[in-house]
């Protein structure tokens, strides 16, 4: 596939390409341009050129066009989901879910198009005041590989609704579905250059985009260390920045919880997308009276998960997206077990019979990990779940807060007072009671601490891509 610049499918200026591979088979799926600074410059120029035409489209009409884009995505759900499975690795059911999720997000922004109006007031002594929201101009979006369709929609929806034009850099290893969606949304907008996509690496096209003088806002999703670099680079000419970064979500299971529901929630919360979700359940704190029963059921559930190529029926967990991550995680689990820092009660290695070309790992449960073990102190982006025994809710909350991250967190209990206390005291951007992982587009989503700054989603998202101009009129 080619890049999308100014409404046209375009090769890289220097003609270079990078390969896109299937993590379940190692197969080369396609090649995309290796975009560099001159390609970013062309895309930023196209976006700037399209700005006046796109911002002149009335907000409700912009909403209608986003809605049309969502319908086009729904119509192509099967083809897009299959491509997503092949380039990212997730099972087909999860891929369908993500594609529909992206359409749902665009529909949500279409539905709030009428809320962008400014305010007007009579100010005695000053005359009449109008506060007029205006688009920022060219906005950049940088997207990771774990949810390339959904996270793209989180950024395109509010920025376009607010009247901005966009230049997007998808992950170098999942550009294909992103390019298709960018093409669909760009066509629906009807203004060539409103949506541009430059493929390439983070250190090449990504850095050039963040530093480009035309760009006024950078919305970045990815690792915390990368986010720091992006923020530092964007600060040079005072761009606005939103950073959705890593997480190490705690899940607390109280003694009175519905154990079957909590086990199912933990399995889904950790092993969805092979554990490669920012808000995956990454640390589990279980009260002592139910710890053994919970662990036994959780381990049995993990062993029952069928791992394989996501296009095969019945497969519930695909490969890790990156081979190096699979090897690093297997080595970490082996070292923890060898050093007596955790006990492996399910999984721990490469599944027997798995294709050697695929980057597969067994769903892994670790019992009673050492509090200083990296599996509790670092973000683990893969199918490894440490289960910690805690005496009571106070210990669970204190342990949950022992992390530099603060993205999501959940509690599983029938006691609403306990739930309310945890919701108040656990440091995070989104807190769930008796569920985890759910992120509706209708409410703000984001993290605190090392999990980032800013929020995506919700009624206020388009405002984050706008600034107000105040006009005072003396009659
Ligand atoms: P990375 O930080 O490695 O990459 C994210 C994107 O940034 C990629 O497109 C990457 O390009 C690009 N990039 C890398 N370096 C730079 C740079 N110097 N300047 C500009 N862009 C750059 O993250 P991953 O792709 O590994 O994504 C996984 C991470 O994302 C996890 O930590 C996860 O928790 C987090 N995440 C957070 C979410 C949230 O909402 N809080 C949601 C989903 C994921 P390249 O193609 O070269 O990789």
């Amino acid at each position: 596939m080619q890049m999308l610049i100014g409404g046209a499918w375009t090769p890289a200026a220097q003609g270079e390409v990078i390969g896109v591979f299937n993590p379940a088979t190692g197969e080369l799926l396609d090649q995309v341009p290796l975009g560099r600074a001159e390609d970013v410059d062309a895309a930023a120029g196209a976006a700037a050129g399209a700005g006046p035409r796109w911002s002149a489209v009335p907000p409700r009409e912009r909403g209608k066009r986003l809605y049309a884009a969502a319908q086009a995505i729904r119509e192509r759900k099967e083809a897009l989901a299959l491509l997503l499975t092949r380039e990212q690795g997730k099972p087909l059911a999860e891929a369908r879910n993500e594609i529909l999720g992206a359409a749902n997000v665009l529909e949500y922004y279409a539905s709030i198009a009428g809320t962008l109006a400014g305010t007007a007031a009579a100010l005695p002594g000053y005359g009449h005041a109008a506060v007029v929201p205006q688009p920022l101009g060219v906005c950049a979006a940088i997207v990771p590989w774990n949810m390339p369709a959904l996270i793209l929609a989180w950024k395109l929806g509010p920025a376009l609704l607010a009247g901005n034009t966009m230049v997007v850099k998808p992950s170098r290893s999942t550009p294909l579905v992103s390019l298709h969606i960018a093409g669909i949304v760009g066509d629906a907008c009807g203004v060539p250059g409103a949506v541009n996509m430059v493929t390439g690496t983070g250190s090449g096209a990504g850095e050039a985009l963040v530093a480009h003088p035309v760009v006024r806002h950078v919305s970045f999703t990815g690792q915390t260390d990368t986010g720091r670099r992006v923020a530092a680079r964007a600060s040079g000419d005072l761009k606005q920045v939103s950073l959705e970064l890593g997480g190490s979500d705690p899940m607390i299971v109280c003694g009175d919880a519905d154990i079957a529901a909590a086990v199912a929630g933990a399995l889904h919360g950790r092993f969805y997308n092979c554990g490669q979700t920012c808000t995956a359940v990454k640390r589990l704190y279980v009260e002592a009276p139910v710890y053994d029963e919970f662990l036994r059921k959780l381990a049995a559930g993990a062993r029952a998960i069928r791992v394989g190529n996501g296009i095969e029926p019945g497969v519930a967990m695909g490969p890790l997206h990156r081979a190096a991550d699979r090897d690093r995680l297997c080595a970490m689990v082996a070292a923890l077990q060898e050093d007596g820092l955790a006990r492996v009660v399910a999984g721990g290695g490469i599944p027997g019979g798995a294709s050697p070309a695929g980057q597969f790992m067994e769903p892994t449960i670790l019992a009673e990990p050492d509090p200083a073990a990296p599996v509790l102190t670092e973000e683990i982006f893969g199918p490894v779940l440490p289960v910690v025994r805690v005496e009571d809710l106070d210990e669970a909350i204190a342990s949950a807060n022992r992390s530099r991250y603060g993205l999501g967190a959940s509690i599983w209990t029938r006691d609403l007072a306990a739930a309310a206390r945890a919701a108040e005291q656990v440091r995070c951007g989104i807190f769930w009671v008796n569920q985890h992982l759910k992120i509706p587009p209708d409410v703000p989503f984001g993290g605190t601490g090392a999990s980032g700054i800013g929020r995506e989603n919700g009624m206020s998202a388009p405002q984050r891509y706008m600034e107000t101009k105040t006009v005072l009129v003396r009659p």
Side-chain angles (χ1 to χ4, degrees), residues 66-398:
L66 288 179
Y67 189 79
Q71 298 321 297
I73 290 170
R74 285 186 187 281
E75 279 159 22
R76 289 181 227 174
K77 176 189 81 176
E78 281 307 310
L80 290 171
L82 184 60
L83 186 58
L84 180 54
T85 291
R86 294 179 77 215
E87 73 171 337
Q88 198 276 344
K90 63 187 63 187
L92 209 41
E94 291 183 14
R96 285 190 189 107
N97 192 29
E98 181 173 342
I99 298 299
L100 292 178
N104 189 34
V105 165
L106 297 178
E107 284 160 3
Y108 170 71
Y109 287 109
S111 78
I112 61 167
T115 66
L116 297 188
T119 55
L123 290 182
Y126 297 92
H128 295 286
V131 180
V132 186
Q134 298 190 316
L136 295 172
V138 177
C139 295
I142 299 183
V143 177
W145 49 261
N146 66 328
M147 301 258 173
L150 184 65
I151 293 172
L152 177 62
W154 283 356
K155 298 180 189 308
L156 287 178
L160 289 170
L161 183 67
N164 301 283
T165 53
M166 303 281 295
V167 181
V168 185
K169 196 210 83 69
S171 167
R172 80 189 113 101
S173 54
T174 53
L176 302 178
V177 162
S178 305
L179 283 165
H180 279 283
I181 291 180
I184 290 170
V185 177
D187 283 350
C189 286
V191 174
V195 179
N196 304 275
M197 185 167 279
V198 178
T199 49
T201 65
S203 56
E207 293 212 354
L209 179 56
V210 172
H212 197 284
V214 154
V215 170
R216 297 314 312 147
H217 183 289
V218 179
S219 175
F220 170 84
T221 301
Q223 296 179 34
T224 299
D225 286 347
T226 319
R228 272 198 197 94
R229 277 201 294 282
V230 165
R233 216 172 157 79
S235 68
D237 49 4
L238 303 178
K239 294 178 170 73
Q240 295 191 27
V241 175
S242 104
L243 302 172
E244 301 297 338
L245 308 178
S248 181
D249 284 17
M251 166 172 166
I252 297 171
V253 180
C254 296
D256 71 342
D258 175 338
I259 297 297
V263 166
L267 291 169
H268 178 71
R270 175 72 274 198
F271 300 116
Y272 188 81
N273 200 16
C274 196
Q276 304 165 123
T277 306
C278 51
T279 50
V281 173
K282 294 183 184 143
R283 297 173 291 143
L284 194 38
Y285 298 99
V286 183
E287 286 187 356
V290 292
Y291 184 88
D292 293 334
E293 178 195 355
F294 188 91
L295 186 67
R296 190 168 29 81
K297 291 180 173 165
L298 187 71
R303 281 187 220 106
I305 292 173
R306 192 166 147 219
V307 180
N309 186 335
I311 60 168
E312 287 170 15
V315 163
M317 195 178 92
L320 278 145
H321 183 65
R322 292 194 167 158
D325 287 343
R326 194 271 303 267
D327 298 344
R328 195 175 45 78
L329 283 181
C330 287
M332 181 195 73
V333 170
L336 287 172
Q337 166 109 316
E338 211 173 291
D339 298 343
L341 297 177
R343 199 159 40 86
V344 179
V345 293
I350 297 171
S355 153
Q359 295 147 201
F360 299 104
M361 182 175 179
E362 293 172 311
T364 298
I365 306 289
L366 300 177
E368 320 223 27
D370 186 277
V375 73
L376 289 176
T377 57
E378 293 170 13
E379 178 185 34
I380 302 299
F381 217 56
V384 180
L385 180 55
V387 191
V388 180
R389 186 193 300 267
V390 291
E391 286 311 314
D392 55 23
L393 186 56
D394 286 335
E395 187 186 347
I397 292 173

Side-chain angles (χ1 to χ4, degrees), residues 404-418:
R404 66 190 180 118
Y405 296 106
L407 193 53
S410 67
I411 189 167
W412 297 68
T413 180
R414 292 183 168 99
D415 178 352
L416 279 184

